[in-house]
Amino acid sequence: MFLQKIEISGFKSFAKKTILDFSGKGDSKNGVTCVVGPNGSGKSNVSDALRWVIGEKSIKNLRGNKKEDVIFAGSSSKAKLGCAQVSVFFDNSNKQFDIDYNQVVITRKVYRDGENNYLINNSKVKLFDLISLLSQAGIGHGNYTIVNQGMTDKILLSSPLERMSFLEDAAGVKDIQLKKIKSLRRMKKTKENIKKIESLMREIEPELRVLKIQARKIEKSQKIRKKLFEKRKEYFAVKLNGIEKSQKKNDLELKKIENQILINQELINKLQFDLEKTSNDCINKQNKKIEEIEKEKRDLENNRYELERIGFKKEIELKSLVEKIKELDKEEVVLVDRTYILSKLESFKEELSKLEGKPVGKKIISRIRNLLVEIQAGKTVKKKAGKEVDAKKKVLRKDLEKLKKEAEVNADEIGNCKKLIIKKNQQIQKINQENRKKQESHLEIKDKIRREQFEIEKADKYKKHLKLEQNKLKQGQKDILEDIKNNFNGKIDDLRKIFSNKNLDDLKMEIEKFNWQLEQVKEIDNSVVEESRELQEKYDFLKKESKDLKLTLRELEEIIIEMEKTIKIKMKKAFQAIGKEFSDYFKLMFQGGSAELERIKINSLVGENKNIFEDDDLDKENEKEFNYGLEIKVNPPGKKINNLNMLSGGERTLTSIALLFALISYNPPPFAFLDEIEANLDESNANKFSRILKKLSNKTQFILATHSREVMRIADILYGITMDKDSYSKVFSVRLEQVKQGWV
Ligand code: ATP
C-alpha cells in the first residue's frame, strides 16, 4: 500500500483544487517527497490537510480556533469558500485495507454550517469506522505518522504516560486499545442497563407477587370452574344415560308384557274353542246318540229273544226227531263168536287186498280197533233191519237234517244279535266315557281360562304401570336434553361419549363441593390473571435481558482480559526493541553517548485516544487503572543529564528524532509527513538525518516539508509551493536536477 496522491480543495490556503502526486517514478512506490517553498506559502497546510482527512478532530492540532478555520477564508483577489474538501488516494492492491478495492479513496468534506462528512470510495462512513480502517493499515493520525512543525520534541515534553501513547502506536496496539475502549464503553453501558433492569425488576416484584397470588386464586377458580363444568357434564351424561337405559329397559319390558298379553289372549281364545267343544250342548247331543243306540240295542235284544224262542222250539223238535230215529235204530246185542270174527276178518282181508300198494287207511285201523273192543267185551251191537224201518228212518233223518240246519242258522242269528248288542253297549260306554271326560275337561278349561284372564289382568296392570313409567322417562329425557342444550351448547353427542361409573348422588356431592370451593374465591376480578400474565411476561423479559446482558458482560470481560494480555505482550516486545533502537539511533545522531527507555508505574487514565470519539462520555472514575509510563534517560557524549530540560534545542531535536526513528524502524508506518522537524539542525546533523531517513524510506513513504538542502537532496519527488499576490497556495513540481545543482 502506498499514498498515491492528495487532492486539496478549499482547504486553508488551497483555494483551488491542488493535486500532489506521490507515486514517484519507476518501481519506487515509497521514497521521499519534499514539499518546499517560502515561509507562509502553505507547506504545513498540506500536512494539516493530510492530518485532517484522516480524521483529526482537534482544531488546535490543525492550528485553528474554529472548525470553519480549515475552509479557505478568502483573500484580496478571491472570495472565501463555503466548503473544504481533501481526498487521499491509496493503492490497495495488496489489500492492506480490508476492503475489496484496489484503490481506496478517503475524503473529508466540511461546510461552513458545520456539516462534516467522511467518505470511503464515495460512501459516507462514521469517523469510528474510518479510524478502524486506517488503523488496520497502521495509519494513525497522531504521534509519528504526521509530525508537525514545532511538535518534534513533543515526545520529550510529554508526561511519561503520554509518551506511552507513542509506544502504543509503534507496538500496533492502538487498534486493540480502541476496541478495548469500545468494549469498556459497552461494558459500562451494559452494567448501567443491568442496573436499570434489575431496579425495574425490583420495582415489579412486589406487585407481581400480589398479582400472582391473586392470579393463582383465579387460576384455581378457573380450574375449579373447569372441573365443575366437566363434573356437571358427567352428571348430565350419567343422568341421560340412566334415563335412556331405563327407557330401553322399560320399552323392552312393555313389549314383553304386550307380547305376553297377546299370548295369554290367544290361549284364552283357544281355550274358549275347547270349551265350546266340551259344552252341555255337545254332551246332550252325545246323550241323544246314546238313546238312539240303546233303542237299537233294545230292538236287538227283542230280536234275540225271538230267535232264542224259535231256537228253543227247534231244539225240542230236534230232540223228538232224534228220539224217533233212536227208536228205529235200537240195536240187539249178540255174542262175539268165531264165525263173526272170521267174517269180519274176511271183510278186512278183502278191503286190504284192495288197498294193496297203498297206505293202510285209518278207517280200517279204526274198524280193527272196534273189532278188538268187541272181542274183549265178548259181545257186539247189531242194527234192526227191515224196509219200512229204513224208509221211516230216511224221512226222519231228512227232517232232522233240515231242522239241524235251521237250528244252526238260528244259533248264528242269535250270535250275531248278541255281538251287535255287545257292540251297542260298548258304543254307549264309550260315549259315556267321552262325556265324562268332556265334563272334566270343560271344568279344567274353565279353570285355565280363569287363570289366563287373571294373568292378563295382572299383565294389564303392569303394562299400565310401564306406560306411565314410559311417559315419565320420556318427559325426564326431554327435560335433561333441554338442560344439556342450555348448559353445554347442545353438544349432546359429546356428552354421550362420556363414560362414568359414578352414581348421580356421588356426582351431585362432587358438584356441591366445587360450588362451595368457587364461593371461596369468587370476589377476585378476572382481569388480574391477564394483568399478572402481562407483568410476569415483562418480568421474564427483563430477567432474560438481565441474563443476556450479564452474559455479554462476562464475554466483554473475557475479551478485555484477552486484549489486555495481547497489549501487554506487544507493548513489552515493543518497549524492549524500541529501547534498543532508540539507544542505537541516539548514538548515531550524537556520535556516542547513551540513551534508554524506562517503564515506570503510574496510576492514570487509560487510553490517550479517547478524544477521537465524538460524544465522549467515558466515566473517568471507572476507567482508572494501574498503568505504565515511559521515562527517557539520555546522556549525550561526555555529558551527564539529570532531566531532559537540561538539553540544548538541537540536542532536544536530535533526541526526539532518534526516538522517532526508533519508533518508525520498529513499526514502519505506510507513510509519514514530517513537517520541518529538522529545522534547527546544523548541516552535518541534517545530513545524518537525511541519510537515516533515506534508509527508512524503503519501508515508509516519507513526505517532508523542508527548507533543508540536505533533505531535498534525498528527495525522489519535489514540490514547490508558492503564494503570490493572489494569496492562495499554488503547487509546482521542481526539477530535481536544479536541486542537485544547488538551485534551491
Ligand atoms: P513556514 O515555512 O513559515 O512554516 P508554511 O509554508 O508552512 O510556512 P503555512 O503555515 O502552511 O506556511 O501557511 C500559512 C499560510 O496559510 C498563512 O499565510 C495563512 O494566511 C494561510 N492560511 C491559513 N489558514 C487559511 C485560511 N483559512 N484561508 C486562507 N488562508 C489561510
Side-chain angles (χ1 to χ4, degrees), residues 46-60:
V46 177
S47 91
D48 286 343
L50 196 56
R51 182 185 287 274
W52 183 73
V53 75
I54 63 170
E56 178 61 67
K57 268 182 68 190
S58 163
I59 191 68
K60 283 211 171 72

Side-chain angles (χ1 to χ4, degrees), residues 587-605:
K587 283 177 190 162
L588 202 66
M589 296 296 284
F590 282 89
Q591 307 262 300
S594 68
E596 62 173 327
L597 297 177
E598 197 180 286
R599 262 186 347 149
I600 55 165
K601 284 180 180 175
I602 7 168
N603 265 334
S604 191
L605 302 177

Side-chain angles (χ1 to χ4, degrees), residues 655-672:
T655 305
S656 302
I657 288 170
L659 191 51
L660 185 69
F661 284 163
L663 291 166
I664 288 174
S665 64
Y666 178 72
N667 186 7
F671 70 89

Side-chain angles (χ1 to χ4, degrees), residues 505-519:
D505 287 343
D506 289 348
L507 288 167
K508 234 181 199 172
M509 263 174 62
E510 284 179 50
I511 288 168
E512 273 166 24
K513 192 181 87 189
F514 289 140
N515 274 328
W516 181 82
Q517 285 174 349
L518 266 184
E519 285 283 308

Side-chain angles (χ1 to χ4, degrees), residues 71-87:
I71 305 170
F72 179 69
S75 65
S76 52
S77 62
K78 197 160 175 53
K80 67 174 181 179
L81 294 174
C83 83
Q85 180 174 331
V86 177
S87 297

Side-chain angles (χ1 to χ4, degrees), residues 629-691:
L630 196 66
E631 199 54 274
I632 300 168
K633 288 191 171 171
V634 291
N635 285 306
K639 294 181 183 171
K640 193 147 176 63
I641 300 290
N642 291 335
N643 69 69
L644 295 169
N645 291 333
M646 289 168 72
L647 292 171
S648 75
E651 282 172 338
R652 292 172 71 83
T653 303
L654 285 172
T655 305
S656 302
I657 288 170
L659 191 51
L660 185 69
F661 284 163
L663 291 166
I664 288 174
S665 64
Y666 178 72
N667 186 7
F671 70 89
F673 196 113
L674 307 178
D675 187 0
E676 292 184 48
I677 64 165
E678 80 300 340
N680 58 353
L681 293 187
D682 59 28
E683 210 172 312
S684 155
N685 280 332
N687 183 270
K688 270 186 248 165
F689 167 79
S690 306
R691 277 189 281 120

